[in-house]
Amino acid sequence: MIATQSILPSRHDIQPAVKGQARVSFIGSRSFLLEAPGEFDLLAQRWIWALSQTVGAWPEVAEVIPGMTNVLTILKETPENPQAVVASLLNAWDSAASLDLAGKTVEIPVHYGGEYATDLATICDFAGLSDREVVRIHYEATYRVFALGSAPGFGYLHGLDPRIYMPRKTVPSIRMEKGCVTIGGMQTGVAMLTGPNGWNSIGYADLQMFDPAASRPALLAPGDTVRFIPARIEL
């Protein structure tokens, strides 16, 4: 069962810290990728959220896609002066105030351990923790959705306890099942597709996180809060 609590969208201005210098790359003739410097943290992502809203209001913009500490801006037409677009993006980044997104809370029931926890033992060895400690640390944390990407509906979640950070595999698993709850570096998430996957599985969530026929296909959205609920622990 998924328990969701709707929260009305609101803006919360956060006092900004010092930003680093962003850089912009060309992606084709009318797309521009701004990459923010610094750490993968909530403060940096709040700037990304703010920048996305600012740039999305420009009349020449067709689509804005916020990513993990980056923003992809797609224009309606190929610009006559691409460097002017780059300058505008950098100026918008420099002046962007920090913005927090108030989203819904999503509780995801997880079967920890069992046949789908194919990498739990490896994480235990790497972290120097027992399987019960790894599982407990994972479900006791509260996560924020930074961005969607990689696969339809996949949420990049921030908030993983550093004690259970686990590098992504150098050789991906050939077939990881859709629904596997995984850890990749300092992030965690739920696999959206069955197939090759370089993240590390510690359990399974039997739910539909993306429905193309729904009015809002993705269960998660940037700014949402996620809690993993231990529906079953099999160790």
Side-chain angles (χ1 to χ4, degrees):
M1 176 179 180
I2 307 170
T4 61
Q5 177 183 359
S6 296
I7 303 176
L8 293 177
S10 63
R11 292 185 175 89
H12 305 286
D13 290 331
I14 310 298
Q15 289 297 323
V18 177
K19 295 194 195 81
Q21 179 62 48
R23 66 188 183 95
V24 177
S25 305
F26 297 96
I27 309 295
S29 63
R30 59 186 183 94
S31 299
F32 300 80
L33 180 68
L34 182 142
E35 297 176 271
E39 298 296 325
F40 164 67
D41 59 21
L42 184 55
L43 177 60
Q45 196 65 21
R46 283 170 172 158
W47 284 323
I48 292 296
W49 291 338
L51 179 66
S52 299
Q53 290 198 1
T54 297
V55 174
W58 294 354
E60 67 272 24
V61 170
E63 186 176 7
V64 173
I65 304 173
M68 298 294 300
T69 63
N70 62 63
V71 174
L72 179 65
T73 301
I74 304 172
L75 303 184
K76 296 174 183 176
E77 298 178 355
T78 300
E80 294 183 2
N81 186 352
Q83 290 302 329
V85 178
V86 172
S88 295
L89 287 169
L90 292 175
N91 287 335
W93 165 254
D94 290 338
S95 60
S98 191
L99 173 68
D100 201 6
L101 297 178
K104 60 187 179 296
T105 295
V106 180
E107 295 182 347
I108 301 178
V110 179
H111 175 185
Y112 285 102
E115 63 176 310
Y116 295 108
T118 53
D119 304 295
L120 181 55
T122 302
I123 294 175
C124 291
D125 290 342
F126 185 82
L129 299 168
S130 70
D131 50 7
R132 292 194 179 277
E133 288 174 315
V134 169
V135 167
R136 177 184 56 78
I137 291 169
H138 186 265
Y139 71 68
E140 285 185 346
T142 299
Y143 303 93
R144 292 293 298 278
V145 181
F146 271 21
L148 301 184
S150 176
F154 180 77
Y156 287 96
L157 305 183
H158 176 266
L160 187 68
D161 191 301
R163 289 176 292 174
I164 56 173
Y165 284 1
M166 181 68 191
R168 300 183 190 186
K169 301 172 185 176
T170 54
V171 179
S173 300
I174 299 300
R175 180 184 172 88
M176 184 176 290
E177 292 295 325
K178 171 185 175 182
C180 283
V181 177
T182 57
I183 293 174
M186 60 180 64
Q187 301 172 59
T188 188
V190 180
M192 294 292 102
L193 302 170
T194 297
N197 195 312
W199 290 36
N200 303 275
S201 182
I202 61 172
Y204 184 78
D206 185 14
L207 55 83
Q208 186 170 13
M209 299 189 67
F210 184 81
D211 180 4
S215 57
R216 292 186 177 182
L219 174 64
L220 302 180
D224 285 354
T225 297
V226 173
R227 296 295 307 273
F228 291 103
I229 307 300
R232 182 181 178 188
I233 298 177
E234 181 184 355
L235 303 173

